[in-house]
Amino acid sequence: ENIDALVTGIESSSKLPLKEMTAEVWFTIDEHDINFAGLLAVQQDGQFCKRGWSLTYGKVTGGSVGDFSFSFSIALEATFKSSVGGFTILDFTFPGIVRGVWNYISVAYNGSSLMLYFAGADGSMHRVEKQACAQPPCGQIVYPAAYNISNADSCVPGKTPFTVGSFDNKQQAQASAHIGAIKNVKISKRALSG
């Protein structure tokens, strides 16, 4: 669905989170030679427009087979220093993902921090946390939606889909599909812990 149908800028009428969020997904990776792919995304990422959020991954250059780096990038009011915008990024590398085996990942924003939780097929649990901006609170999530785009803006209203299993960057006419299975996708308007 198009971003303008999902986000109005008002918490009570927006279908996507504004103040805090959690995104969860179970997934398999069925190919180890993936440079970049999206699990969940609602983001424009171009030279002059950086808004929304995404959960992406790619193989670790120079790493072992099955080593992947996961990234949660999010545009927030506190990091929105110009009309271009900007992202806060939280990265996590997990070694030895086995093809076709289920893994769990969740990412969260609570108004001041970004969190990433990863449960590997080997039963291991990992948690990474990072301050979301220099001086919290960091404000609302900034989406590339019509309510938040002026005539002088380079973001394109109506051109940002919410995607599952792909990072579809209309700003650069590129899509990066996940290769594997996905199940149990959940998006919440609150930051879950643990």
Side-chain angles (χ1 to χ4, degrees):
E1 196 166 350
N2 188 292
I3 184 73
D4 293 330
L6 298 173
V7 181
T8 63
I10 302 166
E11 184 74 21
S12 61
S13 60
S14 290
K15 294 177 183 174
L16 288 175
L18 289 171
K19 295 181 181 177
E20 39 180 71
M21 69 166 286
T22 299
E24 304 175 74
V25 62
W26 282 88
F27 67 97
T28 67
I29 293 179
D30 294 349
E31 173 61 51
H32 281 157
D33 194 27
I34 302 170
N35 291 318
F36 180 78
L39 289 171
L40 304 169
V42 58
Q43 187 175 81
Q44 277 191 41
D45 184 5
Q47 183 177 359
F48 300 109
C49 177
K50 296 188 178 298
R51 297 188 188 166
W53 61 266
S54 67
L55 175 56
T56 59
Y57 69 92
K59 70 179 180 179
V60 175
T61 304
S64 298
V65 173
D67 292 356
F68 285 92
S69 180
F70 295 86
S71 293
F72 175 40
S73 63
I74 188 168
L76 304 169
E77 288 175 328
T79 60
F80 204 80
K81 303 208 182 295
S82 68
S83 61
V84 173
F87 298 121
T88 299
I89 300 172
L90 178 61
D91 291 315
F92 171 74
T93 298
F94 188 80
I97 289 181
V98 178
R99 288 183 187 179
V101 176
W102 289 102
N103 298 277
Y104 168 83
I105 192 168
S106 72
V107 292
Y109 167 64
N110 66 6
S112 59
S113 297
L114 303 179
M115 287 86 46
L116 183 148
Y117 305 93
F118 188 91
D122 61 359
S124 62
M125 296 289 295
H126 305 272
R127 181 178 189 272
V128 181
E129 185 170 347
K130 170 181 176 173
Q131 190 168 299
C133 64
Q135 296 182 345
C138 304
Q140 291 191 21
I141 301 166
V142 179
Y143 288 96
Y147 79 92
N148 197 25
I149 297 177
S150 69
N151 290 334
D153 206 323
S154 63
C155 290
V156 183
K159 294 286 186 182
T160 307
F162 173 72
T163 58
V164 175
S166 179
F167 179 82
D168 192 353
N169 191 0
K170 300 288 187 192
Q171 193 53 254
Q172 296 178 346
Q174 118 194 42
S176 301
H178 167 67
I179 300 173
I182 291 179
K183 68 178 182 179
N184 298 343
V185 174
K186 296 179 186 173
I187 308 294
S188 172
K189 288 185 176 184
R190 59 189 178 98
L192 304 176
S193 60

